Structure formats: C-alpha cells, structure tokens
C-alpha cells in the first residue's frame, strides 16, 4: 500500500489534535487558494520593509524574525513510516512543521517547503501587533504636539488668568507722552533667553533706555544654553547679590527661556527669595512648553526622521558649547513634569505677555540688528579716525514669520514664531494680549529702521509691562493686608 502523502498525514493528524489543527488548516487554506497565499506573502515582505524604514522602531526583533522563519523545535532526521504514524499521530504534525533540516518527507515535500507555506499563517499571528505599533507611531508623528498645546488651560487646580490688556495700552500711551511711573526704589533685572550669549545686543537698547531715566537696571549674565535648573540657581544668586548690594527689591523681566529660568528660580528657591523679589514679567516665554522644541527633540516626532535632534546636538553642544538639556527643558513633557512638581508661589505678582507674528511685505524685509563688527582704523597713528563699526543684521523677522505660518498650518495655533499664545500664559497671572503683530525676536533686538509712526518701541513696551507689574504687586499686597486684618 502506498505511503500517505505529507498533506494527508497533516490532515489526519489535525483531526486528532485540535491544537495543531488550526495551523494545518491554515497551511491547507493557503495551499488550495493561491491568491490568498500570494497576498499574505506580499504583506509579509511589506511589513519587513516598513520595519526597516522606521529606523527608530523599538519593537521586538524576535517578533519580526518570526515573520520570516519558524522557531526550531528539534526534528527527527529519519523518514516517516506508517508504523511511526500508528504509534504516535500527535508527533507527526510537529515533525512536519520543523524547518531546521531539509529532509524530504514521504509525500515528496521538504520541511522547508512547509515552512514557506506556513509563513503567511505566522504573519497573521504576529503581523497585527506589528502593524498596530506602526499605526500608533504614525499617528503620534501626525498629531505632533496637537494634544499638548494649551495643556495648562485644561490642568486641574490651576488659577484663572486676568486679562489686563486695556490697562497695559493705557500705560503705554502715557509713556509715549513722557509720563513715566517706574520708581527707583527697586532694581530692574532683565533675563535674556536662549542663544542670547551669541547676540551681544540682546536687551542692550532697553537697559540703556532705563539707565537714561535714572533707574538701576542689569542684564543677567547667565549661560543661555544651560539647563533650566542650572540657570535657576544662577539667577537666584544674581538676585541675592543685587539685593544685598543695593538693599532694594528686584523687579524681573524675563524674555523667552529667560522667563522660564526665572520662574524656576522662584519655584525652587522661594524661601530664600521671598523678601527680595517684587514681581516677575514673562515676555513671550514658553512657560507651558514649546511645540518647536517638542517636534524637534521628542521621540516619534518629525525630528526623528530628518536627524534634527542630532543636528541640534551638534549645534548646541559642539558649536555653541552649551547643553542640549536647555532645549529639552522646553518640551511639553519636561514642562509638565516640572510645573507639577514645582508650581509658582501664588503670592508673587506675575504678568504674562505674548504676541502673534505678522506676515507682511515689511516683515519679510525687516532686518534685526544683533551685533556689530569693528574694523580697525586706517593708519591710526597718522589720523584721529576711530574704528569703523558695521552693523551685523539678520532676517529674524522673516524666520519667525515662516515658523509662525508653519505652526498655524499644522496646529491652527497663533504664535510669535516659537511660542504659541496659549502656552505663554501662566496660571493665576495678569495677561497682556496685544493685537499688534510682533514676532519673538522683536522684544530684544532693535531694527535699524524706526518703528512705524504711532507705535511704541521695545523699550517702551518693557517699561509698560514693568509699570503694570508694579500695579499688580500693589493690589496684591493690599489684598494680603486686608486678609491679615
């Protein structure tokens, strides 16, 4: 009598063993219906290709390997016989499915052939989880920071903000009429933001403006590319030096990351600074986080696919001699963690100021004066000529306008180019939301051209913000006094 074929033995064994029956049925299905076999094989190859494309994919490599080969289970090297089949039907299916050897079965099929037939079945067992991981990763990339922008507004136990834009505009108008109300009983400290060490004119115009009014004003000398906690400690020491030297409280205005650094100093060292700080203005500061920083650095975002993180690491660490943590501290994940652990003291007066970048022909042609270059005088021994100063300008307004348009297109959020308006509002603060189109760099770098007629310049805006902060502080102090009484 003819020996049963491998397919027949496989079918017979399936009838006796339910656990093996599913696998055998799958192989028969793909053997009898070629289109399904071809489609599953194609999907297997596609999954392998996509896995290689997503270089950052962190899935189980063993699981991916199962799409290409079955796990070895120790095969018998001798051919099957009918006697073997009568003695142990349950072992037949296991032997046939083994691929570790290339022995030919009695039916003419090799175990490698059966392995090839079983690949589509194995694909359906593991492919769903692989594709689910890929779908989740793609969804995370497409969503980006959409779920994080404005998270402070949705956070529980956060105090509401108070809009005082109208009062700010009134103060600004009086300043333009040369009505100044800032007292000299405090010292004014300006804290610059990220990359300020490489912009020598950062806040210089505003400091000169304050000095001409007879006000003590300083620019904090910090490493702008250091982490938030490192700069918080530096700012704390800076404030204490000013206080003990002048015996006056300090009123602080922090721009961009400088506002985040100062807020961290107040959160971490409030017991030491309680009697030394009169208030804080956060101007265009990503207090809640920045979508730009998150999209560049956070895993699964666009920066993963174009090596932006590596580029920023080289720029910050190698070129600028800074710490990449400075940029990572502005991502949403880091800001959420820090704010929840170290909230700002509720008794300190705070003003939040944020703007929206404009996109006009004037904006695209505006150049920001960030530094100057000195050329040595020709034959100085023979003449009294002074070194020639050439302005160093950059198209920062155009860059901010492009970034603002990108954030508007992708997330539908208004921003100054780097910080969205909703992420710049500190809970419980007085908020200033002007309609005037101002980008992120306007606050600190002056333009070689004059401001449009009827518009305040950067120094006047800073003065108005600090004047409003003084009023907020006086009101809060009055409320505290009444509460104590």
């Amino acid at each position: 009598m003819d020996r049963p074929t491998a397919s027949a033995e496989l079918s017979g064994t399936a009838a006796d063993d339910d656990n093996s029956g599913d696998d055998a049925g799958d192989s028969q299905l793909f053997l009898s219906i070629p289109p399904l076999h071809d489609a599953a094989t194609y999907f297997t190859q596609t999954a392998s290709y996509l896995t290689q494309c997503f270089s950052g994919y962190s899935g189980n490599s063993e699981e991916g390997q199962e799409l290409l080969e079955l796990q070895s289970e120790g095969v018998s090297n001798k051919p099957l016989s009918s006697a073997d089949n009568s003695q142990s039907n349950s072992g037949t299916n296991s032997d046939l499915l083994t691929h570790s050897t290339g022995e030919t079965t009695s039916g003419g099929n090799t175990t490698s052939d059966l392995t090839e037939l079983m690949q589509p079945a194995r694909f359906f067992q593991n492919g769903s989880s692989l594709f689910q991981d890929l779908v989740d990763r793609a969804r995370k990339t497409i969503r980006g920071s959409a779920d994080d922008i404005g998270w402070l507004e949705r956070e529980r136990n956060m105090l509401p903000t108070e809009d005082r834009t109208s009062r700010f505009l009134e103060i600004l108008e009086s300043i333009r009429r040369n009505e100044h109300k800032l007292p000299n009983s405090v010292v004014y400290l300006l804290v610059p933001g990220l990359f300020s060490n490489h912009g020598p004119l950062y806040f210089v115009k505003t400091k000169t403006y304050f000095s001409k009014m007879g006000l003590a004003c300083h620019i904090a000398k910090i490493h702008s590319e250091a982490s938030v906690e490192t700069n918080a400690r530096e700012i704390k020491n800076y404030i204490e030096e000013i206080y003990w030297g002048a015996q006056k409280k300090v009123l602080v205005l922090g721009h961009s990351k400088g506002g985040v650094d100062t807020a961290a100093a107040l959160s971490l060292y409030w017991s030491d600074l309680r009697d030394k700080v009169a208030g804080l203005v956060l101007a265009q500061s990503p207090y809640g986080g920045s979508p730009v920083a998150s999209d560049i650095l956070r895993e699964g975002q666009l920066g993963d696919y174009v090596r932006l993180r590596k580029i920023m690491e080289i720029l910050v660490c190698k070129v600028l001699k800074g710490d990449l943590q400075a940029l990572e501290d502005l991502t949403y994940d880091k800001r959420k963690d820090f704010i929840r652990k170290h909230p700002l003291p509720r008794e300190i007066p705070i003003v939040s100021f944020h703007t929206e970048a404009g996109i006009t022909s004037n904006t695209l042609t505006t150049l920001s004066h960030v530094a100057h270059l000195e050329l040595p005088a020709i034959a100085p021994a023979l003449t009294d000529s002074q070194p020639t100063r050439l302005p160093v300008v950059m198209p920062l307004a155009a860059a901010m306008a492009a970034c603002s348009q990108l954030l508007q297109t992708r997330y539908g959020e208004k921003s100054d180019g780097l910080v969205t308006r909703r992420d710049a509002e500190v809970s419980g603060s007085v908020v200033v939301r002007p309609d005037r189109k101002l980008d992120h760099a306007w606050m600190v770098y002056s333009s070689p051209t004059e401001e449009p007629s009827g518009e305040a310049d950067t120094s006047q805006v800073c003065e108005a913000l600090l004047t409003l902060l003084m009023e907020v502080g006086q009101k809060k102090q009055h409320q505290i006094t009444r509460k104590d009484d």
Side-chain angles (χ1 to χ4, degrees):
M1 183 175 62
D2 294 338
R3 183 178 298 170
T5 64
S7 299
E9 289 190 14
L10 183 61
S11 299
T13 304
D16 296 332
D17 188 350
D18 292 338
N19 293 331
S20 302
D22 292 340
D23 290 342
D26 286 338
S27 65
Q28 290 291 347
L29 173 63
F30 289 109
L31 181 65
S32 60
I33 307 178
L36 289 179
H37 174 272
D38 295 341
T41 303
Y42 172 77
F43 283 132
T44 303
Q45 297 171 351
T46 302
S48 177
Y49 174 75
L50 289 176
T51 304
Q52 296 174 9
C53 290
F54 286 88
S55 58
Y57 174 69
S58 59
N60 191 340
S61 60
E62 293 181 358
E63 181 182 39
Q65 183 66 22
E66 287 180 351
L67 298 178
L68 302 179
E69 62 180 12
L70 296 175
Q71 187 71 25
S72 298
E73 297 179 359
V75 64
S76 174
N77 290 330
K78 63 181 181 179
L80 292 174
S81 64
S82 57
D84 295 333
N85 184 48
S86 62
Q87 292 177 1
S88 178
N89 286 337
S90 60
T92 304
N93 191 41
S94 174
D95 292 341
L96 286 172
L97 295 181
T98 307
H99 73 285
S100 59
T101 67
E103 295 290 336
T104 303
T105 63
S106 58
N109 292 335
T110 63
T111 55
S112 60
D113 291 337
L114 290 176
T115 299
E116 182 179 356
L117 294 176
M118 290 304 296
Q119 285 179 6
R122 179 65 65 180
F123 167 78
F124 282 113
Q125 293 177 6
N126 300 293
S128 60
S129 61
L130 171 63
F131 273 112
Q132 185 61 45
D133 289 342
L134 295 177
V135 168
D136 292 342
R137 183 181 179 90
R139 183 184 294 113
K140 184 177 181 180
T141 301
I142 294 172
R143 291 292 296 169
S145 300
D147 298 329
D148 297 314
I149 296 175
W151 69 272
L152 279 170
E153 300 173 350
R154 304 183 294 271
E155 190 77 354
R156 294 182 178 180
N157 303 322
M158 290 293 181
L159 296 176
T161 58
E162 179 185 357
D163 189 351
R164 298 290 300 276
T165 305
S166 58
R167 177 55 187 157
F168 165 79
L169 296 176
E170 292 174 1
I171 297 173
L172 190 60
E173 185 60 30
S174 65
I175 289 173
R176 299 187 69 248
R177 296 194 303 265
N178 291 323
E179 299 176 7
H180 307 285
K181 298 181 179 179
L182 281 181
N184 59 7
S185 58
V186 297
V187 177
Y188 301 93
L189 178 62
L190 307 176
V191 183
L194 199 63
F195 306 133
S196 60
N197 289 359
H198 309 279
L201 299 184
Y202 204 113
F203 269 142
V204 169
K205 182 180 179 181
T206 300
K207 180 182 183 299
T208 303
Y209 174 84
F210 276 53
S211 298
K212 288 181 178 179
M213 292 192 297
L215 303 175
C217 183
H218 301 271
I219 300 176
K221 303 300 182 183
I222 59 175
H223 193 329
S224 58
E225 288 80 56
S227 67
V228 167
E229 294 194 14
T230 297
N231 279 346
R233 185 169 55 253
E234 294 294 326
I235 293 171
K236 178 250 187 185
N237 295 335
Y238 212 98
I239 291 174
E240 289 181 330
E241 288 181 10
I242 293 175
Y243 177 80
W244 293 117
Q247 293 296 309
K248 296 178 180 178
K249 283 192 173 185
V250 182
L251 212 58
V252 188
L253 187 152
H255 176 257
S256 189
K257 182 176 177 288
V260 175
D261 293 339
T262 308
L266 298 179
S267 298
L268 296 172
Y269 306 107
W270 182 238
S271 59
D272 298 321
L273 301 177
R274 181 190 303 272
D275 299 326
K276 302 177 181 68
V277 177
L280 169 64
V281 174
L282 292 96
Q284 300 174 318
S285 296
Y287 183 74
S290 169
V292 177
S294 295
D295 290 351
I296 290 176
L297 298 181
R298 192 164 57 181
E299 181 181 356
Q301 299 300 321
L302 294 177
D304 278 356
Y305 304 105
V306 291
R307 304 283 183 173
L308 278 180
R309 182 183 178 90
K310 187 63 177 179
I311 294 173
M312 291 303 300
E313 183 177 354
I314 295 174
L315 175 63
V316 175
C317 301
K318 304 298 183 181
V319 179
L320 302 180
K321 307 300 181 183
D323 186 354
L324 190 63
Q325 190 66 42
L327 196 58
E328 290 182 344
D329 285 344
L330 301 182
T331 62
Y332 287 110
D333 291 340
K334 293 291 185 179
R335 292 306 300 155
K336 289 178 182 179
D337 183 64
F338 185 90
I339 292 173
R340 288 165 179 166
K341 290 181 179 178
H342 311 287
L344 271 169
R346 296 190 174 187
E347 60 265 36
I348 184 172
I350 297 177
V351 172
S352 302
F353 174 80
H354 55 80
T355 61
E356 176 186 354
I359 304 177
T360 64
S361 58
N362 291 335
T363 300
L364 300 179
T365 58
T366 299
L367 297 176
S368 300
H369 187 190
V370 299
H372 56 259
L373 179 66
E374 288 190 358
L375 299 179
I378 301 176
L382 302 178
T383 64
D384 295 332
S385 60
Q386 298 294 324
T388 302
R389 279 187 146 189
L390 297 179
V392 178
V393 296
M394 297 180 65
L396 295 180
M400 294 299 104
C403 290
S404 176
Q405 185 62 32
L406 176 62
L407 294 177
Q408 177 70 37
T409 302
R410 187 178 187 193
Y411 298 120
E413 293 287 340
K414 297 179 179 180
S415 71
D416 58 19
L418 296 179
V419 182
T420 66
R421 304 196 79 154
R422 292 199 291 160
D423 292 323
E425 296 189 358
V426 181
S427 58
S429 68
V430 167
V431 180
V432 177
R433 310 177 178 115
D435 295 328
R436 184 181 173 187
K437 305 297 184 181
L438 302 172
D439 63 63
H440 193 78
W442 180 88
M443 282 288 296
V444 292
Y445 290 121
S446 61
S447 170
T449 60
E450 296 294 330
E451 294 292 337
S453 178
E455 298 288 358
D457 61 18
T458 58
S459 302
Q460 292 171 334
V461 169
C462 290
E463 181 185 357
L465 288 172
L466 289 169
T467 303
L468 177 62
L469 180 62
M470 289 293 298
E471 293 184 359
V472 173
Q474 293 170 358
K475 179 180 178 181
K476 182 162 289 192
Q477 186 61 41
H478 180 66
Q479 292 174 344
I480 295 175
T481 303
R482 290 183 58 184
K483 184 177 180 180
D484 293 341
D485 293 342

